[in-house]
Amino acid sequence: MRKFGMIAILFLLLFMTACSSGASSSDEYPSKNLEIVAPASPGGGWDLTARSVENVLSGQSLVEENINVVNKPGGGGEVGWKYLESKDSHSLAINSSLVLTNNLLGQSEMTYEGFTPIATLATEWQSLAVPPDSEYESSKELLEAIKEDPASIKIGVGPGLGNDDHLSLVQAASEFGIDPSQLNFLVYEGGGDVVTALLGGHVDAVTTSLSEVKDQYLADKLNILAVSSDKPVEGIEDVPTWGDQGIDLVFPHWRGIMGPPDMTEEEIAYWDEKLSEMVETEEWQEVLENNDWEGFYKNSEETKAFMDEQHNLYKTLIEDSGLIK
């Protein structure tokens, strides 16, 4: 009897060990090196976001596995996001509104719904700026002039129509009762070229990221008529928001992070935990301050709802702008 009892105990121990081993292997995530895809060349906003996330997660030991930043430039994010589609849950990618507008503009077959929303991380705000000697002292004065004769007001934007710089003013114009398709946009290579055109007197106003004009504003080289934030921006509290001027508009220029299709609830929960810890660190707050970004964190569930909301907004704005019929 003692022999059979020992055998039974041995089988029980082996069974428990197997169950324990199976549970740990299924719950073991991440189980290898991680990568964050920056869908652009080194040096741009997507690359900076990816490297900032990696630096804080690794530097603060929030994630034990090695994290590598991989640059996959091309196609306004298309190349990097196409690469992500074929990867497993150990790869994530930085995104922005282009993951929505590329499809809405007919430039990509990929949609945001083909990926796993992980988080929204930070935002810049949009601005409307004019030369320091402009006759327009408020956004409402400028919009009134545009409403009276849209073709007479030249507006600089870059690097193309359909981006946040463009669509933020499309929304403002629409809220003001202007047909956005009548706006007279001159398209430049990028934000720096847009500001150069403004300072050179080639355009009457520019719509661009606040970071492109903030220093010039502080140096009295131009005037900012409105920012797209919901409250005054730190350091330039005297610049009014659109809302301050009676125009119902809050327009974030956000960046977030997404995963490949079909990530599990456990994998998503892992990143909810790690990224929610990351955005509370002093090191992340320094990243925001150093880059004139503002914290805009949303977890995976909030990001899914936000992306649905943004998709509907961008679809309306792109149609209103006349870019698609």
Side-chain angles (χ1 to χ4, degrees), residues 142-152 178:
L142 179 61
L143 290 176
E144 287 286 4
I146 294 173
K147 194 171 188 177
E148 183 176 340
D149 186 2
S152 68
I178 299 169

Side-chain angles (χ1 to χ4, degrees), residues 96-293:
S96 70
S97 63
L98 289 183
V99 77
L100 307 172
T101 57
N102 284 357
N103 175 262
L104 290 170
L105 290 167
Q107 298 168 355
S108 172
E109 295 184 359
M110 288 189 299
T111 73
Y112 74 103
E113 294 173 316
F115 299 93
T116 301
I118 298 297
T120 312
L121 297 173
T123 186
E124 290 185 77
W125 297 108
Q126 302 299 130
S127 67
L128 177 66
V130 295
D133 57 352
S134 172
E135 63 182 287
Y136 308 110
E137 296 184 358
S138 72
S139 62
K140 294 188 75 171
E141 289 183 11
L142 179 61
L143 290 176
E144 287 286 4
I146 294 173
K147 194 171 188 177
E148 183 176 340
D149 186 2
S152 68
I153 307 297
K154 293 178 289 186
I155 306 163
V157 67
L161 300 181
N163 66 2
D164 282 353
D165 296 353
H166 171 234
L167 295 179
S168 63
L169 190 56
V170 165
Q171 185 176 4
S174 183
E175 292 286 344
F176 201 73
I178 299 169
D179 178 357
S181 67
Q182 301 301 308
L183 295 174
N184 182 15
F185 286 105
L186 300 184
V187 180
Y188 293 86
E189 290 289 330
D193 295 316
V194 167
V195 175
T196 298
L198 181 70
L199 299 179
H202 303 294
V203 293
D204 301 296
V206 298
T207 174
T208 189
S209 296
L210 179 58
S211 59
E212 296 285 357
V213 293
K214 182 179 176 181
D215 289 344
Q216 287 88 345
Y217 172 75
L218 293 172
D220 294 325
K221 293 182 178 179
L222 52 74
N223 190 24
I224 302 175
L225 300 184
V227 289
S228 67
S229 55
D230 56 345
K231 60 183 183 296
V233 175
E234 184 177 351
I236 53 170
E237 289 85 356
D238 56 326
V239 174
T241 67
W242 285 106
D244 290 335
Q245 300 170 84
I247 298 170
D248 184 17
L249 184 152
V250 175
F251 200 107
H253 178 51
W254 52 270
R255 293 192 185 97
I257 192 164
M258 64 187 184
D262 302 323
M263 287 180 66
T264 68
E265 291 184 8
E266 291 76 17
E267 291 164 346
I268 296 169
Y270 173 88
W271 287 111
D272 275 342
E273 176 186 350
K274 298 302 181 182
L275 292 172
S276 65
E277 292 177 4
M278 182 197 78
V279 298
E280 295 298 326
T281 63
E282 291 184 9
E283 288 71 20
W284 182 252
Q285 298 307 310
E286 289 178 7
V287 168
L288 298 178
E289 183 177 352
N290 292 340
N291 294 287
D292 280 328
W293 297 347

